[in-house]
Amino acid sequence: MQQIFAVFLSFTCYALANAFFRPYCQENATCVRGCSWVLERYFNGVANQVLPDNGYRNLTVPSLAMCGRECLMDDRCFSFHYSKGEMWCELNGATASRYPMDLIEMEGMFYYGPEEPKLVKLLASGNKTGIPSLTDCRYQTHGSVSPECSKTGQHLCLKWELDHASKEGYPATPLSWYADPDSQAVLTETGVTYHDLPLTAPSPGLCCSLPMTYRDPVITPQSYDLADRAGQARGCSDLAAHPCTLAELKEAYDHGYRGCLYWGYFATPNRDARVDGCTHHKDDECYQGTIANTPRPATHKRVYCCPNRT
């Protein structure tokens, strides 16, 4: 296991950063820095690791603390690299927690970021599969953070992905956006808690790219008109999913998923389905003896969405 380091910043530097960043955090309503993170007195470091292609400024400084001070004084800086032998300091515009798969090994270099020590250890172990990334900026709305995840080929995390991350020991997070547009989530040491809107403080987003095999369907939080196929598809896309096929609903049923007697739209137009056995349905209204589906749907329903697989 690579060694974990921390650099202590003096109170004077901390006070300077507090005075420098607080107006920025209050004034920028679209994308604000993680104020509670940049004001921490510690940067946690990973030996022999760097986050390439994110540096924007190189300096020669006599100490690690001076490099950390330069980062705190620059509102573009989210993390930094430092080489003691060369007294070389590089300020980065991103963090390893935002781009966990980009962290690479480089002898003699140290990555320093605001991540909690537990996450730094997890990143340093090289086992980055299933680690959500937390956006470096905070956003006022669910809609504004989703494109930020898309920039790196990720999606806002689904509930099951957050549950998976929590079970894998992902450290605590601030209140964050995830796939459900009407809720926010907090990862804790004991699980995930969800909070309903409205919320007023800007929040980061949790982005996921976990390779998917089978996962339970999710149901869109809003309903759609029967003829609004494009809206139904967009509703599923917002959940990193697509309208389920009957085969996928059958697979879910075989894995123990039940739709709680809920009828919803799915991939076949002008029909609805229920994942709870056929009961009184038969023939073409009972798919493989398990999934009831009818050509008599209501005109306004929610949609069964199946997570995209990679």
Side-chain angles (χ1 to χ4, degrees), residues 54-71:
N54 289 287
Y56 63 87
R57 183 185 175 197
N58 296 324
L59 309 100
T60 299
V61 295
S63 69
L64 176 61
M66 289 292 292
C67 187
R69 184 180 71 87
E70 292 293 331
C71 184

Side-chain angles (χ1 to χ4, degrees), residues 37-117:
W37 284 1
V38 299
L39 300 183
E40 291 289 343
R41 297 190 181 205
Y42 288 90
F43 279 107
N44 298 293
V46 187
N48 302 320
Q49 295 283 325
V50 295
L51 188 68
D53 303 323
N54 289 287
Y56 63 87
R57 183 185 175 197
N58 296 324
L59 309 100
T60 299
V61 295
S63 69
L64 176 61
M66 289 292 292
C67 187
R69 184 180 71 87
E70 292 293 331
C71 184
L72 280 177
M73 292 177 63
D74 191 329
D75 67 341
R76 297 170 295 172
C77 186
F78 291 94
S79 66
F80 62 91
H81 298 135
Y82 185 71
S83 172
K84 181 178 180 181
E86 300 177 6
M87 294 188 295
W88 181 73
C89 172
E90 180 180 40
L91 306 186
N92 300 319
T95 62
S97 60
R98 178 67 183 94
Y99 300 96
M101 303 304 293
D102 289 353
L103 199 63
I104 63 172
E105 186 172 352
M106 183 175 290
E107 189 70 25
M109 292 295 298
F110 292 83
Y111 163 84
Y112 287 88
E115 294 86 1
E116 294 185 16

Side-chain angles (χ1 to χ4, degrees), residues 176-197:
S176 305
W177 298 105
Y178 70 106
D180 189 338
D182 297 319
S183 180
Q184 291 186 327
V186 175
L187 272 71
T188 69
E189 297 296 327
T190 56
V192 187
T193 57
Y194 298 96
H195 301 266
D196 294 332
L197 299 181

Side-chain angles (χ1 to χ4, degrees), residues 2-36:
Q2 292 161 326
Q3 200 169 3
I4 304 299
F5 293 84
V7 57
F8 180 78
L9 302 175
S10 69
F11 177 78
T12 300
C13 178
Y14 175 79
L16 177 61
N18 188 35
F20 186 84
F21 286 124
R22 190 164 299 280
Y24 179 85
C25 294
Q26 291 173 345
E27 291 172 5
N28 190 336
T30 302
C31 169
V32 298
R33 293 197 51 168
C35 307
S36 62

Side-chain angles (χ1 to χ4, degrees), residues 125-139:
S125 72
N127 181 21
K128 305 178 182 71
T129 301
I131 301 178
S133 64
L134 199 65
T135 60
D136 293 324
C137 290
R138 299 191 176 201
Y139 300 84

Side-chain angles (χ1 to χ4, degrees), residues 261-299:
L261 302 180
Y262 182 80
W263 289 89
Y265 300 141
F266 62 107
T268 303
N270 301 315
R271 295 182 79 93
D272 59 0
R274 187 184 69 187
V275 188
D276 195 46
C278 288
T279 314
H280 304 297
H281 297 81
K282 58 183 180 179
D283 299 328
D284 67 339
E285 294 188 7
C286 181
Y287 179 78
Q288 294 191 5
T290 54
I291 308 300
N293 64 104
T294 81
R296 301 176 296 278
T299 58

